[in-house]
Structure formats: structure tokens, C-alpha cells
């Protein structure tokens, strides 16, 4: 095996609430977390319009795939049929999708899930697609996902990334 350059697992804490409730009890843990979580409350607001996608992936995602697939050295198929099979028809996991609409097109999307890790709620980004050089779209999708996961009660969000553009955005 060889290390993949510019790749790795990343995790960002969103709250201390669950950890503090488990260690010092629910009422006191909630109170202490209100202060301890203040630094995490500041997650930048997306500058672009980022919307939740509640319906199936459609032909806009086929066109996005066709526009960006050559920008990546190695990438798996991400057309609408594959996205619907992977994220909408999954029997065990509920996925949330965020999208940046751009007229009749899509500028980018991000898919994440909220899951239990022992007694805690965690979030995991499982897919993100935009032009690799579209830093604004990538940053705004990540910010919107962090805000949504925190709102749903996740204490941490993780992802595995490859590529310098997305790795740089995750580290910001």
C-alpha cells in the first residue's frame, strides 16, 4: 500500500453537549455545554444559495457530471441514476443532500448522513461534487452541511477527502 497524497480522514467537532451530558449528567452537561459550545456556534453562512434536495436527483445532475468528470484524475460515476440508487434507494440509511442551484443547472452538491456512534449523534459527508477550482461552491456546501448537522444535534462531522482543492476547503 502507498499513501495517497493530499488525502485523509478529517473530523470537525460541532458541540461538546453530548460528551458533557454523558460525563456530568444531562442538566448540568447541557448548561456547561452552552458556554463550551460558543466557539462552535460560529460557522460561516454560505454566500451562495444552498438548498436541501428532498426529491430524486434529476437530469441537472447528469449535466453536472458531464461538465466536471474530466476535471478529476480518478472519480466514480456520479450521474443521476447512480446518485438515486446510492442515496435515495438505500434501505438502511437516510441521506441528506444539499445543492447549489444555478439557473436550470446545478453548480455542486453535497450528501451527508446523521448516524449513531454509540450514544452520540455524528454526521458524515459521503459525497461532494463541484468543479475542483470552484472554491466558493465547495466552501458554501461544507458550511451548509456543518450548520445542518449541528442543527440536527450531531456533535462531530467527518469526511474522507482526496485532492488538494477539497482538502484545503476542509482544513479552513
Amino acid at each position: 500500500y502507498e499513501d495517497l497524497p493530499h488525502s485523509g480522514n478529517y473530523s470537525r467537532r460541532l458541540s461538546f453537549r453530548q460528551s458533557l451530558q454523558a460525563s456530568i449528567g444531562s442538566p448540568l452537561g447541557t448548561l456547561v455545554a452552552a458556554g463550551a459550545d460558543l466557539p462552535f456556534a460560529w460557522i460561516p453562512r454560505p454566500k451562495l444559495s444552498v438548498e436541501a434536495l428532498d426529491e430524486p436527483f434529476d437530469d441537472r445532475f447528469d449535466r453536472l457530471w458531464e461538465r466536471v468528470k474530466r476535471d478529476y484524475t480518478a472519480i466514480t460515476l456520479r450521474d443521476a441514476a447512480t446518485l438515486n440508487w446510492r442515496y435515495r434507494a438505500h434501505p438502511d440509511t437516510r441521506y441528506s443532500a444539499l445543492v447549489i442551484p444555478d439557473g436550470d443547472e446545478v453548480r455542486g452538491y453535497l450528501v451527508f448522513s446523521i448516524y449513531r456512534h454509540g450514544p452520540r449523534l455524528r454526521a458524515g459527508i459521503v459525497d461532494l461534487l463541484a468543479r475542483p477550482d470552484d472554491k466558493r461552491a465547495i466552501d458554501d456546501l461544507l458550511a451548509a452541511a456543518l450548520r445542518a448537522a449541528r442543527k440536527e444535534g450531531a456533535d462531530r462531522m467527518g469526511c474522507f477527502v482526496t485532492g488538494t482543492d477539497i482538502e484545503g476547503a476542509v482544513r479552513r
Side-chain angles (χ1 to χ4, degrees), residues 15-157:
S15 173
F16 282 115
R17 183 178 46 83
Q18 293 177 58
S19 297
L20 289 168
Q21 286 175 338
S23 63
I24 61 176
S26 186
L28 184 57
T30 302
L31 182 64
V32 173
D37 282 355
L38 286 175
F40 303 120
W42 189 85
I43 297 170
R45 290 188 185 278
K47 292 180 177 38
L48 300 171
S49 173
V50 179
E51 301 173 359
L53 179 73
D54 297 322
E55 63 265 0
F57 294 92
D58 55 36
D59 59 338
R60 297 174 301 161
F61 295 88
D62 291 331
R63 293 191 298 271
L64 173 65
W65 168 245
E66 288 301 321
R67 283 194 316 272
V68 305
K69 67 183 180 183
R70 287 175 187 79
D71 295 335
Y72 291 88
T73 306
I75 191 169
T76 59
L77 180 63
R78 285 181 166 87
D79 63 4
T82 304
L83 296 173
N84 284 317
W85 169 77
R86 185 174 294 151
Y87 303 122
R88 295 295 188 231
H90 197 285
D92 299 324
T93 305
R94 183 184 70 84
Y95 290 100
S96 298
L98 301 171
V99 61
I100 298 175
D102 190 16
D104 292 336
E105 300 297 327
V106 170
R107 188 164 165 178
Y109 72 85
L110 181 147
V111 179
F112 71 97
S113 67
I114 304 287
Y115 60 93
R116 287 232 165 259
H117 182 78
R120 294 182 172 86
L121 279 180
R122 298 280 169 91
I125 296 171
V126 296
D127 201 349
L128 186 154
L129 186 65
R131 289 187 53 97
D133 60 352
D134 191 349
K135 292 183 184 352
R136 172 83 286 133
I138 293 168
D139 285 349
D140 284 2
L141 287 165
L142 289 168
L146 289 167
R147 293 173 77 83
R150 190 167 195 278
K151 185 177 180 180
E152 288 193 41
D155 71 345
R156 189 174 285 279
M157 179 170 257

